[in-house]
Amino acid sequence: MVSKHKKQRRTKPLKKKTLNWKKLTRRSLILLSFAAVLAIPLYFFSHQSKIEHDLASIGNGRIASVVQIYDSNCQLCSQLKRNVLAVHADFKDKVQFKIANIGTTKGRRFANRYNVPHVTLLFFDKKGNRTNTIQGVSSSENIGQALMALSRLR
């Protein structure tokens, strides 16, 4: 005969898990640091973006303006933007730099008002009068010369 004995397993008594506050605090701080690293650049990018796209400040009487008519899908527009950024630091106190993105209603209206296509820079004096237009990709040297002439206007 075969005996039907069940082997009894010894079970260890369940231990209560205790909260390891040190580990929890450390993990929380790491997570918060990671979130901050992501959030800070996003905040500054959105803030800078609002400043760049605020076209209402053109002709405010305080500072001259340069507006790039920009299409986010256009490689030539991106090249023109890089060329403007190359001279931006030299003129940032004398000229405000703006972007009219034709992918938005405001940007399209702005470009239509001045009857210009994308890949264009429009230069405005302090009173909001258009003084110069550069169409197409221009070198940073040419843009710098145009900015120098704009910054000399009273």
Side-chain angles (χ1 to χ4, degrees), residues 86 120 154:
T120 301
R154 295 266 174 209

Side-chain angles (χ1 to χ4, degrees), residues 1-134:
M1 265 199 182
V2 179
S3 68
K4 295 183 179 180
H5 291 284
K6 289 184 181 178
K7 289 186 178 179
Q8 287 186 353
R9 292 186 195 173
R10 287 189 178 195
T11 57
K12 294 180 182 178
L14 293 175
K15 286 186 180 179
K16 268 190 170 179
K17 289 189 177 185
T18 58
L19 220 53
N20 187 338
W21 288 101
K22 187 176 180 182
K23 255 187 188 178
L24 183 63
T25 303
R26 183 171 167 236
R27 287 182 181 171
S28 297
L29 288 174
I30 290 171
L31 182 63
L32 284 173
S33 300
F34 183 70
V37 165
L38 292 176
I40 291 171
L42 287 175
Y43 169 77
F44 284 113
F45 175 74
S46 68
H47 180 68
Q48 182 65 26
S49 180
K50 287 177 189 174
I51 292 171
E52 286 180 346
H53 294 84
D54 178 22
L55 301 171
S57 64
I58 296 170
N60 61 11
R62 292 184 288 151
I63 192 166
S65 304
V66 174
V67 180
Q68 179 180 356
I69 310 300
Y70 182 80
D71 180 359
S72 58
N73 297 319
C74 173
Q75 290 181 350
L76 295 175
C77 291
S78 297
Q79 179 60 49
L80 181 59
K81 187 175 183 179
R82 283 191 294 274
N83 292 350
V84 169
L85 288 174
V87 295
H88 176 269
D90 297 332
F91 296 95
K92 68 180 180 182
D93 295 334
K94 301 173 186 174
V95 178
Q96 64 180 342
F97 294 85
K98 302 291 180 179
I99 293 176
N101 186 345
I102 63 171
T104 65
T105 304
K106 281 183 180 180
R108 225 177 3 266
R109 278 190 209 140
F110 187 85
N112 289 338
R113 182 177 349 151
Y114 293 99
N115 197 27
V116 294
H118 62 285
V119 195
T120 301
L121 292 175
L122 298 174
F123 296 78
F124 297 92
D125 65 11
K126 293 177 184 180
K127 295 178 183 175
N129 301 315
R130 188 164 86 175
T131 61
N132 193 2
T133 302
I134 295 177

